[in-house]
Amino acid sequence: MEDNFFEITARMVTVEVRDEKTGQVFRRDLPIDYFENANCLRLQGENLDGSVSQLVFYTARGLERLKDLTGLGKDHDDCGTHD
């Protein structure tokens, strides 16, 4: 049975990098809130002053939906119920 995920959330992320000069691998657990769904990936944490900072990466689907919400999208009826 295949599980369908509609969103993924976590309060901690693990970053793994390989140093270009030495080839050595480094892993860090970081206190970053992670949220992902079909529309976007959002990373949220704190700045040095403690205020909230976030990065949002939109998928192509998410960008189209954002355009539709702001009135900048194409005039089309996705569900086929509008005149």
PDB file of all heavy atoms in Angstrom, residues 2 6 9 12 14 18-19 27-28 31 38 40-41 43 45 47 52 54-55 57-60 65 70 74 76 81:
ATOM      1  N   GLU A   2       0.598   2.187  -0.872  1.00  0.00           N
ATOM      2  CA  GLU A   2       1.392   3.408  -0.979  1.00  0.00           C
ATOM      3  C   GLU A   2       0.734   4.520  -0.175  1.00  0.00           C
ATOM      4  O   GLU A   2      -0.462   4.774  -0.304  1.00  0.00           O
ATOM      5  CB  GLU A   2       1.488   3.812  -2.450  1.00  0.00           C
ATOM      6  CG  GLU A   2       2.381   4.995  -2.673  1.00  0.00           C
ATOM      7  CD  GLU A   2       2.527   5.320  -4.148  1.00  0.00           C
ATOM      8  OE1 GLU A   2       2.793   4.406  -4.919  1.00  0.00           O
ATOM      9  OE2 GLU A   2       2.352   6.492  -4.501  1.00  0.00           O
ATOM     10  N   PHE A   6       0.207  14.679   2.023  1.00  0.00           N
ATOM     11  CA  PHE A   6      -0.300  15.962   1.566  1.00  0.00           C
ATOM     12  C   PHE A   6       0.570  17.103   2.069  1.00  0.00           C
ATOM     13  O   PHE A   6       0.617  18.154   1.465  1.00  0.00           O
ATOM     14  CB  PHE A   6      -1.750  16.155   2.004  1.00  0.00           C
ATOM     15  CG  PHE A   6      -2.676  15.168   1.357  1.00  0.00           C
ATOM     16  CD1 PHE A   6      -3.138  14.085   2.060  1.00  0.00           C
ATOM     17  CD2 PHE A   6      -3.040  15.320   0.031  1.00  0.00           C
ATOM     18  CE1 PHE A   6      -3.982  13.158   1.455  1.00  0.00           C
ATOM     19  CE2 PHE A   6      -3.868  14.398  -0.581  1.00  0.00           C
ATOM     20  CZ  PHE A   6      -4.351  13.318   0.125  1.00  0.00           C
ATOM     21  N   THR A   9       5.973  18.059   7.707  1.00  0.00           N
ATOM     22  CA  THR A   9       6.392  19.081   8.673  1.00  0.00           C
ATOM     23  C   THR A   9       7.448  18.499   9.609  1.00  0.00           C
ATOM     24  O   THR A   9       7.457  17.307   9.885  1.00  0.00           O
ATOM     25  CB  THR A   9       5.213  19.590   9.514  1.00  0.00           C
ATOM     26  OG1 THR A   9       4.655  18.508  10.251  1.00  0.00           O
ATOM     27  CG2 THR A   9       4.144  20.226   8.648  1.00  0.00           C
ATOM     28  N   MET A  12      13.001  20.234  13.096  1.00  0.00           N
ATOM     29  CA  MET A  12      14.460  20.142  13.028  1.00  0.00           C
ATOM     30  C   MET A  12      14.824  19.625  11.646  1.00  0.00           C
ATOM     31  O   MET A  12      14.163  18.737  11.123  1.00  0.00           O
ATOM     32  CB  MET A  12      14.962  19.177  14.105  1.00  0.00           C
ATOM     33  CG  MET A  12      16.450  19.045  14.227  1.00  0.00           C
ATOM     34  SD  MET A  12      17.248  20.421  15.070  1.00  0.00           S
ATOM     35  CE  MET A  12      16.555  20.322  16.707  1.00  0.00           C
ATOM     36  N   THR A  14      18.228  18.352   9.095  1.00  0.00           N
ATOM     37  CA  THR A  14      19.620  17.930   9.063  1.00  0.00           C
ATOM     38  C   THR A  14      20.220  18.361   7.731  1.00  0.00           C
ATOM     39  O   THR A  14      19.692  18.028   6.673  1.00  0.00           O
ATOM     40  CB  THR A  14      19.742  16.404   9.216  1.00  0.00           C
ATOM     41  OG1 THR A  14      19.134  16.024  10.452  1.00  0.00           O
ATOM     42  CG2 THR A  14      21.192  15.967   9.216  1.00  0.00           C
ATOM     43  N   ARG A  18      29.389  18.440   1.610  1.00  0.00           N
ATOM     44  CA  ARG A  18      30.718  17.889   1.357  1.00  0.00           C
ATOM     45  C   ARG A  18      31.618  19.060   0.980  1.00  0.00           C
ATOM     46  O   ARG A  18      31.365  19.771   0.009  1.00  0.00           O
ATOM     47  CB  ARG A  18      30.682  16.862   0.229  1.00  0.00           C
ATOM     48  CG  ARG A  18      32.048  16.225  -0.050  1.00  0.00           C
ATOM     49  CD  ARG A  18      31.990  15.191  -1.154  1.00  0.00           C
ATOM     50  NE  ARG A  18      31.008  14.160  -0.899  1.00  0.00           N
ATOM     51  CZ  ARG A  18      31.217  13.055  -0.176  1.00  0.00           C
ATOM     52  NH1 ARG A  18      32.386  12.847   0.381  1.00  0.00           N
ATOM     53  NH2 ARG A  18      30.257  12.174  -0.002  1.00  0.00           N
ATOM     54  N   ASP A  19      32.663  19.274   1.762  1.00  0.00           N
ATOM     55  CA  ASP A  19      33.601  20.360   1.514  1.00  0.00           C
ATOM     56  C   ASP A  19      34.282  20.143   0.161  1.00  0.00           C
ATOM     57  O   ASP A  19      34.776  19.044  -0.134  1.00  0.00           O
ATOM     58  CB  ASP A  19      34.647  20.404   2.634  1.00  0.00           C
ATOM     59  CG  ASP A  19      35.614  21.542   2.445  1.00  0.00           C
ATOM     60  OD1 ASP A  19      35.195  22.702   2.599  1.00  0.00           O
ATOM     61  OD2 ASP A  19      36.795  21.266   2.132  1.00  0.00           O
ATOM     62  N   ARG A  27      27.728  17.166   8.877  1.00  0.00           N
ATOM     63  CA  ARG A  27      26.292  17.104   9.129  1.00  0.00           C
ATOM     64  C   ARG A  27      25.963  17.988  10.323  1.00  0.00           C
ATOM     65  O   ARG A  27      26.673  17.970  11.328  1.00  0.00           O
ATOM     66  CB  ARG A  27      25.851  15.680   9.446  1.00  0.00           C
ATOM     67  CG  ARG A  27      25.909  14.744   8.292  1.00  0.00           C
ATOM     68  CD  ARG A  27      25.493  13.359   8.729  1.00  0.00           C
ATOM     69  NE  ARG A  27      24.151  13.392   9.252  1.00  0.00           N
ATOM     70  CZ  ARG A  27      23.136  12.686   8.785  1.00  0.00           C
ATOM     71  NH1 ARG A  27      23.334  11.849   7.801  1.00  0.00           N
ATOM     72  NH2 ARG A  27      21.945  12.773   9.302  1.00  0.00           N
ATOM     73  N   ARG A  28      24.879  18.727  10.186  1.00  0.00           N
ATOM     74  CA  ARG A  28      24.426  19.588  11.275  1.00  0.00           C
ATOM     75  C   ARG A  28      22.925  19.437  11.436  1.00  0.00           C
ATOM     76  O   ARG A  28      22.180  19.468  10.458  1.00  0.00           O
ATOM     77  CB  ARG A  28      24.727  21.072  10.987  1.00  0.00           C
ATOM     78  CG  ARG A  28      26.194  21.399  10.765  1.00  0.00           C
ATOM     79  CD  ARG A  28      26.979  21.320  12.062  1.00  0.00           C
ATOM     80  NE  ARG A  28      28.338  21.762  11.884  1.00  0.00           N
ATOM     81  CZ  ARG A  28      29.375  20.956  11.693  1.00  0.00           C
ATOM     82  NH1 ARG A  28      29.195  19.659  11.638  1.00  0.00           N
ATOM     83  NH2 ARG A  28      30.594  21.426  11.553  1.00  0.00           N
ATOM     84  N   PRO A  31      17.781  23.899  14.230  1.00  0.00           N
ATOM     85  CA  PRO A  31      16.412  24.164  14.696  1.00  0.00           C
ATOM     86  C   PRO A  31      15.646  25.035  13.694  1.00  0.00           C
ATOM     87  O   PRO A  31      15.424  26.223  13.904  1.00  0.00           O
ATOM     88  CB  PRO A  31      16.629  24.879  16.030  1.00  0.00           C
ATOM     89  CG  PRO A  31      17.927  25.599  15.842  1.00  0.00           C
ATOM     90  CD  PRO A  31      18.762  24.700  14.963  1.00  0.00           C
ATOM     91  N   ALA A  38       2.374  20.512  -1.942  1.00  0.00           N
ATOM     92  CA  ALA A  38       2.465  20.565  -3.403  1.00  0.00           C
ATOM     93  C   ALA A  38       2.694  21.977  -3.921  1.00  0.00           C
ATOM     94  O   ALA A  38       3.094  22.163  -5.071  1.00  0.00           O
ATOM     95  CB  ALA A  38       1.192  19.992  -4.025  1.00  0.00           C
ATOM     96  N   CYS A  40       4.531  24.597  -2.080  1.00  0.00           N
ATOM     97  CA  CYS A  40       5.749  25.289  -1.655  1.00  0.00           C
ATOM     98  C   CYS A  40       6.549  24.468  -0.652  1.00  0.00           C
ATOM     99  O   CYS A  40       6.077  23.478  -0.115  1.00  0.00           O
ATOM    100  CB  CYS A  40       5.402  26.643  -1.026  1.00  0.00           C
ATOM    101  SG  CYS A  40       4.582  26.526   0.572  1.00  0.00           S
ATOM    102  N   LEU A  41       7.751  24.951  -0.421  1.00  0.00           N
ATOM    103  CA  LEU A  41       8.626  24.470   0.645  1.00  0.00           C
ATOM    104  C   LEU A  41       8.988  25.702   1.465  1.00  0.00           C
ATOM    105  O   LEU A  41       9.462  26.702   0.909  1.00  0.00           O
ATOM    106  CB  LEU A  41       9.895  23.840   0.066  1.00  0.00           C
ATOM    107  CG  LEU A  41      11.040  23.606   1.043  1.00  0.00           C
ATOM    108  CD1 LEU A  41      10.696  22.452   1.971  1.00  0.00           C
ATOM    109  CD2 LEU A  41      12.320  23.343   0.328  1.00  0.00           C
ATOM    110  N   LEU A  43      11.025  27.186   4.925  1.00  0.00           N
ATOM    111  CA  LEU A  43      11.976  27.017   6.023  1.00  0.00           C
ATOM    112  C   LEU A  43      11.858  28.250   6.903  1.00  0.00           C
ATOM    113  O   LEU A  43      11.946  29.377   6.415  1.00  0.00           O
ATOM    114  CB  LEU A  43      13.399  26.887   5.488  1.00  0.00           C
ATOM    115  CG  LEU A  43      13.652  25.766   4.483  1.00  0.00           C
ATOM    116  CD1 LEU A  43      15.066  25.876   3.923  1.00  0.00           C
ATOM    117  CD2 LEU A  43      13.408  24.412   5.110  1.00  0.00           C
ATOM    118  N   GLY A  45      12.981  30.068  10.755  1.00  0.00           N
ATOM    119  CA  GLY A  45      13.825  30.053  11.937  1.00  0.00           C
ATOM    120  C   GLY A  45      13.900  31.435  12.547  1.00  0.00           C
ATOM    121  O   GLY A  45      13.056  32.282  12.279  1.00  0.00           O
ATOM    122  N   ASN A  47      16.290  34.971  13.420  1.00  0.00           N
ATOM    123  CA  ASN A  47      17.458  35.803  13.139  1.00  0.00           C
ATOM    124  C   ASN A  47      18.296  35.925  14.403  1.00  0.00           C
ATOM    125  O   ASN A  47      17.908  35.451  15.475  1.00  0.00           O
ATOM    126  CB  ASN A  47      17.022  37.206  12.705  1.00  0.00           C
ATOM    127  CG  ASN A  47      16.469  37.231  11.313  1.00  0.00           C
ATOM    128  OD1 ASN A  47      16.886  36.472  10.465  1.00  0.00           O
ATOM    129  ND2 ASN A  47      15.504  38.118  11.087  1.00  0.00           N
ATOM    130  N   VAL A  52      11.523  36.336  13.642  1.00  0.00           N
ATOM    131  CA  VAL A  52      11.269  35.238  12.710  1.00  0.00           C
ATOM    132  C   VAL A  52      11.772  35.587  11.319  1.00  0.00           C
ATOM    133  O   VAL A  52      11.605  36.705  10.836  1.00  0.00           O
ATOM    134  CB  VAL A  52       9.758  34.925  12.650  1.00  0.00           C
ATOM    135  CG1 VAL A  52       9.461  33.860  11.613  1.00  0.00           C
ATOM    136  CG2 VAL A  52       9.269  34.475  14.006  1.00  0.00           C
ATOM    137  N   GLN A  54      12.089  33.646   7.307  1.00  0.00           N
ATOM    138  CA  GLN A  54      11.703  32.466   6.546  1.00  0.00           C
ATOM    139  C   GLN A  54      12.073  32.588   5.082  1.00  0.00           C
ATOM    140  O   GLN A  54      12.176  33.684   4.550  1.00  0.00           O
ATOM    141  CB  GLN A  54      10.213  32.159   6.703  1.00  0.00           C
ATOM    142  CG  GLN A  54       9.282  33.179   6.126  1.00  0.00           C
ATOM    143  CD  GLN A  54       7.819  32.777   6.358  1.00  0.00           C
ATOM    144  OE1 GLN A  54       7.511  31.707   6.866  1.00  0.00           O
ATOM    145  NE2 GLN A  54       6.907  33.643   5.972  1.00  0.00           N
ATOM    146  N   LEU A  55      12.282  31.429   4.475  1.00  0.00           N
ATOM    147  CA  LEU A  55      12.501  31.307   3.041  1.00  0.00           C
ATOM    148  C   LEU A  55      11.370  30.445   2.486  1.00  0.00           C
ATOM    149  O   LEU A  55      11.045  29.403   3.060  1.00  0.00           O
ATOM    150  CB  LEU A  55      13.829  30.614   2.735  1.00  0.00           C
ATOM    151  CG  LEU A  55      15.100  31.347   3.095  1.00  0.00           C
ATOM    152  CD1 LEU A  55      16.296  30.402   2.928  1.00  0.00           C
ATOM    153  CD2 LEU A  55      15.275  32.562   2.207  1.00  0.00           C
ATOM    154  N   PHE A  57      10.044  28.602  -1.093  1.00  0.00           N
ATOM    155  CA  PHE A  57      10.322  28.195  -2.462  1.00  0.00           C
ATOM    156  C   PHE A  57       9.028  27.651  -3.045  1.00  0.00           C
ATOM    157  O   PHE A  57       8.483  26.668  -2.532  1.00  0.00           O
ATOM    158  CB  PHE A  57      11.407  27.107  -2.493  1.00  0.00           C
ATOM    159  CG  PHE A  57      12.692  27.525  -1.847  1.00  0.00           C
ATOM    160  CD1 PHE A  57      12.929  27.264  -0.500  1.00  0.00           C
ATOM    161  CD2 PHE A  57      13.666  28.197  -2.576  1.00  0.00           C
ATOM    162  CE1 PHE A  57      14.117  27.644   0.100  1.00  0.00           C
ATOM    163  CE2 PHE A  57      14.852  28.582  -1.980  1.00  0.00           C
ATOM    164  CZ  PHE A  57      15.076  28.310  -0.642  1.00  0.00           C
ATOM    165  N   TYR A  58       8.504  28.306  -4.085  1.00  0.00           N
ATOM    166  CA  TYR A  58       7.245  27.887  -4.681  1.00  0.00           C
ATOM    167  C   TYR A  58       7.479  26.888  -5.804  1.00  0.00           C
ATOM    168  O   TYR A  58       8.415  27.031  -6.578  1.00  0.00           O
ATOM    169  CB  TYR A  58       6.482  29.093  -5.238  1.00  0.00           C
ATOM    170  CG  TYR A  58       5.921  29.974  -4.154  1.00  0.00           C
ATOM    171  CD1 TYR A  58       6.573  31.143  -3.769  1.00  0.00           C
ATOM    172  CD2 TYR A  58       4.742  29.635  -3.503  1.00  0.00           C
ATOM    173  CE1 TYR A  58       6.066  31.945  -2.771  1.00  0.00           C
ATOM    174  CE2 TYR A  58       4.230  30.429  -2.503  1.00  0.00           C
ATOM    175  CZ  TYR A  58       4.889  31.585  -2.142  1.00  0.00           C
ATOM    176  OH  TYR A  58       4.386  32.373  -1.147  1.00  0.00           O
ATOM    177  N   THR A  59       6.590  25.915  -5.909  1.00  0.00           N
ATOM    178  CA  THR A  59       6.584  25.005  -7.051  1.00  0.00           C
ATOM    179  C   THR A  59       5.878  25.712  -8.202  1.00  0.00           C
ATOM    180  O   THR A  59       5.257  26.771  -8.019  1.00  0.00           O
ATOM    181  CB  THR A  59       5.823  23.711  -6.718  1.00  0.00           C
ATOM    182  OG1 THR A  59       4.452  24.049  -6.442  1.00  0.00           O
ATOM    183  CG2 THR A  59       6.435  22.982  -5.536  1.00  0.00           C
ATOM    184  N   ALA A  60       5.951  25.148  -9.400  1.00  0.00           N
ATOM    185  CA  ALA A  60       5.235  25.728 -10.550  1.00  0.00           C
ATOM    186  C   ALA A  60       3.744  25.796 -10.246  1.00  0.00           C
ATOM    187  O   ALA A  60       3.078  26.799 -10.538  1.00  0.00           O
ATOM    188  CB  ALA A  60       5.501  24.902 -11.806  1.00  0.00           C
ATOM    189  N   ARG A  65      -1.125  29.074  -8.585  1.00  0.00           N
ATOM    190  CA  ARG A  65      -2.189  29.328  -7.611  1.00  0.00           C
ATOM    191  C   ARG A  65      -2.040  30.706  -6.975  1.00  0.00           C
ATOM    192  O   ARG A  65      -3.022  31.392  -6.728  1.00  0.00           O
ATOM    193  CB  ARG A  65      -2.195  28.248  -6.543  1.00  0.00           C
ATOM    194  CG  ARG A  65      -2.706  26.944  -7.088  1.00  0.00           C
ATOM    195  CD  ARG A  65      -2.813  25.901  -6.023  1.00  0.00           C
ATOM    196  NE  ARG A  65      -3.498  24.746  -6.579  1.00  0.00           N
ATOM    197  CZ  ARG A  65      -4.181  23.885  -5.880  1.00  0.00           C
ATOM    198  NH1 ARG A  65      -4.266  24.028  -4.585  1.00  0.00           N
ATOM    199  NH2 ARG A  65      -4.782  22.871  -6.457  1.00  0.00           N
ATOM    200  N   THR A  70      -4.137  36.389  -6.643  1.00  0.00           N
ATOM    201  CA  THR A  70      -3.896  37.828  -6.736  1.00  0.00           C
ATOM    202  C   THR A  70      -4.504  38.443  -7.988  1.00  0.00           C
ATOM    203  O   THR A  70      -4.323  39.631  -8.254  1.00  0.00           O
ATOM    204  CB  THR A  70      -2.381  38.125  -6.705  1.00  0.00           C
ATOM    205  OG1 THR A  70      -1.747  37.450  -7.792  1.00  0.00           O
ATOM    206  CG2 THR A  70      -1.768  37.684  -5.389  1.00  0.00           C
ATOM    207  N   LYS A  74      -4.250  33.252 -15.473  1.00  0.00           N
ATOM    208  CA  LYS A  74      -5.088  33.110 -16.667  1.00  0.00           C
ATOM    209  C   LYS A  74      -6.525  32.895 -16.235  1.00  0.00           C
ATOM    210  O   LYS A  74      -6.801  32.328 -15.179  1.00  0.00           O
ATOM    211  CB  LYS A  74      -4.629  31.909 -17.497  1.00  0.00           C
ATOM    212  CG  LYS A  74      -3.243  32.049 -18.044  1.00  0.00           C
ATOM    213  CD  LYS A  74      -2.861  30.800 -18.813  1.00  0.00           C
ATOM    214  CE  LYS A  74      -1.444  30.881 -19.316  1.00  0.00           C
ATOM    215  NZ  LYS A  74      -1.019  29.647 -19.984  1.00  0.00           N
ATOM    216  N   HIS A  76      -9.223  30.750 -16.333  1.00  0.00           N
ATOM    217  CA  HIS A  76      -9.585  29.382 -16.666  1.00  0.00           C
ATOM    218  C   HIS A  76     -10.327  28.756 -15.484  1.00  0.00           C
ATOM    219  O   HIS A  76     -10.220  29.217 -14.352  1.00  0.00           O
ATOM    220  CB  HIS A  76      -8.361  28.539 -17.034  1.00  0.00           C
ATOM    221  CG  HIS A  76      -7.309  28.504 -15.989  1.00  0.00           C
ATOM    222  ND1 HIS A  76      -7.323  27.611 -14.950  1.00  0.00           N
ATOM    223  CD2 HIS A  76      -6.207  29.265 -15.798  1.00  0.00           C
ATOM    224  CE1 HIS A  76      -6.264  27.818 -14.177  1.00  0.00           C
ATOM    225  NE2 HIS A  76      -5.571  28.820 -14.655  1.00  0.00           N
ATOM    226  N   THR A  81     -16.868  24.158 -13.043  1.00  0.00           N
ATOM    227  CA  THR A  81     -18.180  24.498 -12.463  1.00  0.00           C
ATOM    228  C   THR A  81     -18.533  25.964 -12.575  1.00  0.00           C
ATOM    229  O   THR A  81     -19.569  26.386 -12.092  1.00  0.00           O
ATOM    230  CB  THR A  81     -18.202  24.088 -10.976  1.00  0.00           C
ATOM    231  OG1 THR A  81     -17.176  24.811 -10.276  1.00  0.00           O
ATOM    232  CG2 THR A  81     -18.003  22.598 -10.796  1.00  0.00           C
TER     233      THR A  81
END
